Amino acid sequence: MTDLASASTATGQEMFPSGRFTFQEFLGLERWIDGDVVRVRLRHRPELMNYIGSFHGGVLMSVLDAAMAGAIRAQMPGCSMVTIDMATHFMGSTSGEINAVGRVLRRTRTLCFCTAEIFDEAGELIASATGSFKYRPAAAGTVQPTRE
């Protein structure tokens, strides 16, 4: 896996919205493009844990959603989208650093279908998701989705 410290901004770090404090920044997500996938890292923070000391399921779902949306941005910089459907599967839990990988499965003119997985520090799969995203109307100068 590519380390964030060695990933340059030329690989797409600038593709992710910045300049304002969003939910993803609040969580502390680190995101970068690695070839045709997007990677997301989240380090342990006590306020993100549930009552048994593991990452809260809602936090894991947010990481999965961010990884899938990031995968779309990696393929279509400047594209804006909203999540319309997400199916999540929890297979384990962890309280240490988590790493997610997001991929685009298929794009159409109006929708994009993605998948994401979260791994714990030992590389064990702890959660996965599939999701569908609808493109939002593009602002002037942004990328319009095209059929592939």
Side-chain angles (χ1 to χ4, degrees):
M1 179 183 340
T2 301
D3 182 7
L4 179 61
S6 65
S8 82
T9 56
T11 63
Q13 184 69 16
E14 68 279 358
M15 287 185 189
F16 301 108
S18 62
R20 62 186 196 272
F21 193 70
T22 66
F23 183 65
Q24 292 183 12
E25 281 77 28
F26 171 76
L27 289 178
L29 299 185
E30 300 171 66
R31 302 166 291 180
W32 69 100
I33 297 170
D34 183 12
D36 62 347
V37 302
V38 164
R39 297 194 183 275
V40 178
R41 177 170 51 205
L42 182 59
R43 299 175 195 272
H44 173 91
R45 287 184 28 215
E47 63 272 20
L48 301 179
M49 303 300 129
N50 60 23
Y51 69 96
I52 61 171
S54 298
F55 274 103
H56 187 279
V59 172
L60 296 176
M61 292 177 74
S62 294
V63 170
L64 292 163
D65 185 60
M68 291 186 287
I72 297 169
R73 282 195 185 92
Q75 288 194 9
M76 298 185 304
C79 180
S80 180
M81 79 294 298
V82 294
T83 309
I84 60 172
D85 180 69
M86 186 170 154
T88 306
H89 305 280
F90 299 103
M91 294 159 267
S93 63
T94 189
S95 60
E97 178 180 293
I98 56 176
N99 292 281
V101 179
R103 292 177 176 78
V104 169
L105 298 173
R106 182 167 188 266
R107 290 175 18 202
T108 70
R109 189 177 57 79
T110 58
L111 299 173
C112 192
F113 303 91
C114 301
T115 187
E117 298 172 315
I118 295 177
F119 301 91
D120 66 12
E121 291 176 301
E124 293 292 320
L125 180 65
I126 62 166
S128 67
T130 56
S132 52
F133 297 77
K134 182 169 180 51
Y135 305 117
R136 293 182 50 178
T142 59
V143 174
Q144 291 287 336
T146 57
R147 178 167 290 204
E148 285 195 349

